[in-house]
Amino acid sequence: MTLPPSGAPLRDALLSPRSIPAEVRKRMSPDHFITVQPRQIPEREADGWVIDKRNKRSARMRKPKLHDVAFEDRVWAAFAKLNFTSLNKDRDFSLRFGNDAREAQHVDVFAADDEVVLIIICRSSETVRTGQFRKELETVQSQRPALLKEIKRDFPYHKVKFILATNNFGVTQQTAERIEQADVIHMDEDVIDYYIGLADHLGRAARYQLLGNLFHGTKIPNLDPEVVAIEAHMGGHKYYSFSIEPERLLKLAYILHRNKANSSLMPTYQRLIKKTRLKGVAQFVDDGGYFPNSLILSLDSVGRGLKFEPFPKHAGGTRAGVLHLPQTFRAAYVIDGQHRLYGYADSSRAATDLIPVIAFVNLERPDQVRLFMQINENQQAVPKNLRNTLNADLLYDSKDLREQIRALKLHIAQQLGEDKSSPLYGRIQIGENPKTALRCLTIDAISRGIDRGGFLGSFSKTEVKEVGTFYRGSNDATAGPLISYLTLGLAYLRDGLDTQFKLGSAEGGFVFINNGVESLIRILGDIAQHLTLVNSYNPRECAPQELFDAARRYMDPLISHLASLDSAQGLEFRQMYGSGAGTRYWRRLQQAINVACSDFLPPGLIEYLESEEKQFNDESRDMVAALGQFMKGDIRKRLEDEYGSTWRKDGVPRRIMIEAGKLAVEKNADLDADHELEAWDCLYIVDYRAIMTQSQDLWKRLFEKQYTRPGDEDKPGGWKARSDWLQRLNDLRNDVMHERTVTSEDHDFLVTLTTWLIKGQADNDL
């Protein structure tokens, strides 16, 4: 245990500042490293170590850290990166809370700088679960006075905060309130990662974001609050125009990044600062550059001492005077200009330049979001995914019911992506997170599923036109139960389709993609409506768990159906494109449940199945035409390459060219000169087969590789049998041209041909 003798300075148990950079590199690594002699390697390998590098007389070995060690190290490194220069040396650090040497409390991370001391408790779980942290909070509350007394011996004028850092723990609202009541700050792994990323982007300036979060509303020492300002009004809002040194403003300012670190401050709207732009700003101003346009702020004046002393004279609706700014952390929210402001953090001119500011007073958060979006509409476009997450907050309390419901759908979609208890946690693209094979779902797709699933109903601007299965009269009353039901249902489907869930949108994945998840949500809505009509359940009153228990009977056959599909059938689902793709996917799932549960017959399913034949015909006609057009061009090119200018005479059987020539003459009689056909335009699919199979030699040299279907390489019947599929294609061509019914099996056959022959060739050309 790292504990100085009684009365010895606490600093004796802390790491030397010059040793911090090397320790950060060590702690940020996911592995432990050791250097051993060659004879020690077998023993270490038996204990899980692997060779990382061999030297002449030794070897460096590595071993993954346990999850709790890795997380604690990451927390330590986060605060080191945030320029806390007094940190515990190792994992054995403790603080006394009594006179007895044995009365000491272990501290996972101790971090201090010139103004602040942080006592950090770290808790990590290997898998996601819910935590209550009763013991940790009770310990802090009972030992706080004694621990503060011990800390104040070495850090007498410092502010002290206790932090609970957690990894893989969900926290209920009740636990969150208990943490707050204990005067403890909670940071989960997302928040820690945010501050690590922020420190990498901002350097020293990241500290201001942290202090604004930890000490919101507390006084900033030695801050000069006075600026000369002009008071005016715009758009019904009071604002002040003034100039101020960046160094002063940096202490007051706070940026509402869309991140878990700011989840309690919703709605938030800013994108994470780009490091390259910060460096460019610092270099620009150090080279004598300046920015003539104003930063846009919102000053929080409530209880902050904002005061304006006007000069005696004024003109029109404006007054000049001395503005006394708030002297507290997080008193000014940056709406526009974060790069300009934080770029000054590493500039030599931060204390001398004066930058122009437009500061609105107590601008409501939705108004801040609107202003941010208006500014960015004319500058750097706000990406659609970010607009969705902003609108989930911006429109939530709108007076227009249609906007409220839109915000509710977006809010539920966002919660399904951000709540650790959700099966879609980390799977949904939120804000500006990059797309991956697993994080492949869009908020739009989830929102569509909720909208089309009948959960909410339909609305005019001022009234409810039709009440959905889950709508309970307001957004707040509806969100919780609906999220719970969707979470239970999607988790059940995830567990039953584990292989598909692990694939996501990677090759072979066709369920947990946008069309798939939208359809699954719609199916959960169908089941809720069915249970309401047939079994008298009322989702607006009954518990989500009760409804889910009844719904499983209809989900089981759906899971069995999807799990039984082979790769070709899965590919058909995956390759449903276009505006009607989601509907086709959804109806297929309804049909799968109906086959096993005949009582499940959602509205419109019978009509859809009856019209599906026509739908198959239309799509099949298009695919037949595309396949014919492809072969027309491809076969001609192969013959031209082989025979040159005599390709028709040497490469096409005489009978075929004569018949095609007659047909061309007949058709051209009704066409103008600009649109006349040649004989090659008048061949049928069966003619293409005859050309390719004139001889075994010709087939092997020009056509075998391209026109042998995958899996037919060893087909019985010899080389000619490998072209049998062309006869079936020709028969299907005749069916669609004469409006005969195309079966689902024939449609699948055409999809397979199109995917293999046309799309496969396009991929090869790339």
Side-chain angles (χ1 to χ4, degrees):
M1 179 182 293
T2 307
L3 186 68
S6 181
L10 181 61
R11 296 181 187 274
D12 290 351
L14 303 178
L15 189 67
S16 166
R18 65 175 177 271
S19 301
I20 290 176
E23 186 69 13
V24 168
R25 291 191 293 272
K26 176 181 172 183
R27 300 238 183 184
M28 285 294 289
S29 171
D31 298 317
H32 294 292
F33 288 90
I34 57 170
T35 300
V36 300
Q37 299 300 315
R39 57 183 172 78
Q40 298 174 299
I41 290 176
E43 180 184 352
R44 293 293 186 175
E45 285 180 330
D47 195 32
W49 293 83
V50 297
I51 295 173
D52 185 67
K53 181 181 179 182
R54 287 187 181 273
N55 303 312
K56 285 186 177 181
R57 299 179 180 176
S58 64
R60 185 173 72 167
M61 305 189 74
R62 58 182 169 81
K63 181 180 181 181
K65 295 175 182 176
L66 296 175
H67 66 89
D68 57 334
V69 175
F71 179 63
E72 186 176 312
D73 281 353
R74 196 163 176 80
V75 173
W76 189 100
F79 290 96
K81 284 173 170 280
L82 288 164
N83 284 287
F84 284 82
T85 53
S86 298
L87 294 133
N88 53 300
K89 289 180 180 177
D90 50 40
R91 302 189 78 214
D92 294 326
F93 181 84
S94 294
L95 286 172
R96 287 194 177 86
F97 61 88
N99 295 324
D100 191 324
R102 291 171 296 180
E103 293 181 310
Q105 176 59 46
H106 173 74
V107 173
D108 295 312
V109 178
F110 179 94
D113 61 10
D114 293 338
E115 300 176 83
V116 175
V117 172
L118 304 178
I119 306 300
I120 306 163
I121 304 163
C122 298
R123 294 294 180 267
S124 178
S125 171
E126 194 164 6
T127 57
V128 176
R129 61 190 180 93
T130 301
Q132 296 184 335
F133 311 109
R134 293 182 183 277
K135 180 180 178 181
E136 289 83 358
L137 297 176
E138 289 171 357
T139 298
V140 169
Q141 289 175 303
S142 64
Q143 296 179 5
R144 187 192 301 270
L147 293 176
L148 290 176
K149 182 178 179 180
E150 175 73 6
I151 292 167
K152 292 293 184 180
R153 286 196 306 111
D154 289 84
F155 302 91
Y157 304 109
H158 286 56
K159 296 180 176 67
V160 180
K161 278 288 181 182
F162 289 80
I163 296 174
L164 174 64
T166 65
N167 176 51
N168 270 344
F169 281 103
V171 174
T172 64
Q173 182 62 35
Q174 184 179 15
T175 300
E177 291 172 358
R178 192 184 309 120
I179 292 171
E180 185 177 0
Q181 290 167 2
D183 193 20
V184 173
I185 304 294
H186 177 228
M187 295 182 178
D188 66 9
E189 67 271 26
D190 294 326
V191 176
I192 296 300
D193 287 345
Y194 165 74
Y195 281 117
I196 288 175
L198 198 66
D200 289 339
H201 279 69
L202 295 184
R204 290 178 297 171
R207 180 177 177 275
Y208 297 120
Q209 283 288 106
L210 176 69
L211 296 181
N213 226 329
L214 296 180
F215 300 103
H216 172 228
T218 61
K219 189 172 181 179
I220 302 171
N222 306 316
L223 178 70
D224 177 10
E226 295 182 357
V227 292
V228 175
I230 295 174
E231 181 188 70
H233 291 78
M234 180 166 49
H237 301 288
K238 181 192 294 184
Y239 75 91
Y240 293 99
S241 176
F242 56 87
S243 296
I244 189 172
E245 302 87 353
E247 187 175 74
R248 269 203 287 171
L249 186 55
L250 279 165
K251 296 178 181 179
L252 293 167
Y254 194 79
I255 299 172
L256 288 163
H257 292 133
R258 288 202 61 81
N259 190 276
K260 291 290 289 292
N262 297 317
S263 58
S264 63
L265 302 176
M266 300 294 280
T268 54
Y269 48 88
Q270 292 278 19
R271 293 171 263 195
L272 190 62
I273 294 171
K274 295 182 179 178
K275 187 175 184 179
T276 53
R277 290 182 64 184
L278 285 185
K279 288 182 177 179
V281 170
Q283 184 65 48
F284 176 72
V285 297
D286 283 342
D287 289 343
Y290 60 90
F291 299 97
N293 46 332
S294 299
L295 271 71
I296 310 297
L297 311 177
S298 176
L299 290 173
D300 189 355
S301 72
V302 180
R304 303 295 189 94
L306 181 71
K307 179 181 176 184
F308 183 65
E309 296 178 341
F311 298 145
K313 293 183 179 181
H314 64 89
T318 64
R319 300 189 299 173
V322 175
L323 178 66
H324 297 261
L325 295 167
Q327 294 177 273
T328 58
F329 290 104
R330 209 168 81 197
Y333 296 104
V334 180
I335 298 172
D336 185 57
Q338 59 168 331
H339 288 92
R340 276 171 278 154
L341 176 60
Y342 277 105
Y344 269 100
D346 290 318
S347 169
S348 59
R349 293 168 54 186
T352 56
D353 270 12
L354 291 171
I355 55 176
V357 172
I358 298 293
F360 291 90
V361 179
N362 297 328
L363 203 60
E364 294 291 337
R365 200 64 51 74
D367 290 327
Q368 293 182 37
V369 177
R370 288 189 185 94
L371 185 54
F372 167 82
M373 293 179 76
Q374 288 167 7
I375 291 169
N376 282 275
E377 282 296 322
N378 297 314
Q379 295 181 17
Q380 183 177 356
V382 181
K384 184 178 182 181
N385 237 30
L386 180 56
R387 289 202 307 273
N388 279 334
T389 53
L390 295 178
N391 280 324
D393 303 324
L394 182 62
L395 305 177
Y396 197 81
D397 295 315
S398 171
K399 294 179 181 179
D400 187 331
L401 277 176
R402 295 167 301 183
E403 291 186 342
Q404 271 193 34
I405 295 304
R406 179 186 172 197
L408 177 58
K409 290 180 288 188
L410 295 171
H411 168 75
I412 292 172
Q414 187 172 328
Q415 287 296 107
L416 288 172
E418 292 186 330
D419 190 334
K420 288 188 177 69
S421 64
S422 165
L424 301 185
Y425 171 68
R427 296 288 181 120
I428 301 173
Q429 292 174 266
I430 294 174
E432 294 183 290
N433 289 333
K435 181 179 180 179
T436 66
L438 293 181
R439 188 167 55 237
C440 63
L441 304 174
T442 65
I443 286 180
D444 268 343
I446 308 300
S447 178
R448 283 196 304 271
I450 296 168
D451 180 41
R452 297 171 179 176
F455 298 103
L456 304 177
S458 60
F459 302 79
S460 69
K461 184 175 182 179
T462 57
E463 60 184 29
V464 181
K465 294 167 64 177
E466 182 181 356
V467 180
T469 52
F470 268 80
Y471 189 65
R472 302 190 178 197
S474 70
N475 283 4
D476 287 339
T478 305
L482 181 50
I483 289 172
S484 295
Y485 174 67
L486 292 176
T487 297
L488 289 166
L490 291 170
Y492 191 71
L493 293 164
R494 172 202 63 192
D495 294 343
L497 298 164
D498 181 62
T499 300
Q500 278 292 318
F501 187 75
K502 290 175 180 175
L503 285 172
S505 68
E507 185 176 354
F510 64 90
V511 175
F512 292 94
I513 58 176
N514 282 320
N515 280 340
V517 173
E518 176 189 334
S519 299
L520 293 178
I521 292 173
R522 293 180 72 175
I523 287 293
L524 291 172
D526 291 334
I527 294 172
Q529 290 179 3
H530 176 72
L531 292 172
T532 301
L533 293 172
V534 177
N535 299 81
S536 300
Y537 282 92
N538 186 348
R540 293 188 290 276
E541 295 179 0
C542 70
Q545 181 69 50
E546 181 184 352
L547 187 69
F548 164 71
D549 288 341
R552 284 187 296 183
R553 171 177 176 246
Y554 301 96
M555 285 190 274
D556 286 336
L558 177 59
I559 291 171
S560 298
H561 172 72
L562 290 172
S564 69
L565 299 180
D566 60 29
S567 57
Q569 293 168 317
L571 185 63
E572 184 181 350
F573 273 99
R574 184 182 176 90
Q575 293 184 337
M576 289 182 182
Y577 301 119
S579 58
T583 297
R584 292 198 299 275
Y585 200 123
W586 165 60
R587 289 296 191 185
R588 296 274 185 96
L589 301 189
Q590 286 183 329
Q591 185 180 7
I593 299 175
N594 171 258
V595 169
C597 305
S598 58
D599 63 312
F600 180 78
L601 197 62
L605 180 59
I606 291 177
E607 292 79 4
Y608 174 80
L609 294 177
E610 290 175 349
S611 67
E612 195 176 33
E613 292 180 356
K614 179 71 164 60
Q615 177 185 341
F616 279 153
N617 274 44
D618 291 341
E619 291 181 355
S620 297
R621 185 180 298 107
D622 292 341
M623 286 189 283
V624 167
L627 288 162
Q629 194 66 24
F630 171 81
M631 286 188 287
K632 174 184 171 182
D634 182 69
I635 294 170
R636 176 170 178 164
K637 182 178 183 300
R638 292 172 188 273
L639 293 175
E640 288 176 339
D641 291 345
E642 178 71 13
Y643 299 111
S645 61
T646 62
W647 68 273
R648 289 181 182 85
K649 181 178 179 181
D650 296 334
V652 183
R654 185 170 181 271
R655 173 188 58 80
I656 291 176
M657 285 306 298
I658 290 173
E659 292 299 323
K662 291 178 181 178
L663 186 57
V665 171
E666 183 180 336
K667 290 185 175 183
N668 287 337
D670 298 319
L671 298 174
D672 58 54
D674 292 335
H675 296 89
E676 286 188 354
L677 303 173
E678 60 175 292
W680 185 257
D681 297 321
C682 298
L683 267 62
Y684 296 109
I685 292 172
V686 70
D687 295 327
Y688 296 141
R689 185 189 187 194
I691 292 169
M692 288 190 281
T693 58
Q694 293 177 71
S695 69
Q696 184 174 2
D697 176 65
L698 183 69
W699 168 262
K700 286 187 174 294
R701 282 191 296 109
L702 300 189
F703 303 109
E704 182 175 50
K705 183 177 180 181
Q706 174 65 39
Y707 288 95
T708 298
R709 283 201 309 164
D712 283 357
E713 293 86 353
D714 299 317
K715 185 176 181 180
W719 63 274
K720 268 195 174 183
R722 294 170 202 160
S723 65
D724 286 349
W725 62 270
L726 283 158
Q727 183 61 54
R728 183 179 176 187
L729 176 59
N730 189 73
D731 294 341
L732 282 173
R733 180 262 177 201
N734 294 334
D735 287 340
V736 297
M737 293 303 295
H738 294 91
E739 295 294 334
R740 291 192 285 269
T741 298
V742 176
T743 66
S744 173
E745 182 182 358
D746 287 337
H747 177 268
D748 291 347
F749 170 71
L750 291 172
V751 169
T752 303
L753 287 187
T754 304
T755 302
W756 157 59
L757 197 59
I758 300 179
K759 294 181 180 178
Q761 181 63 40
D763 291 342
N764 291 335
D765 291 343
L766 292 176

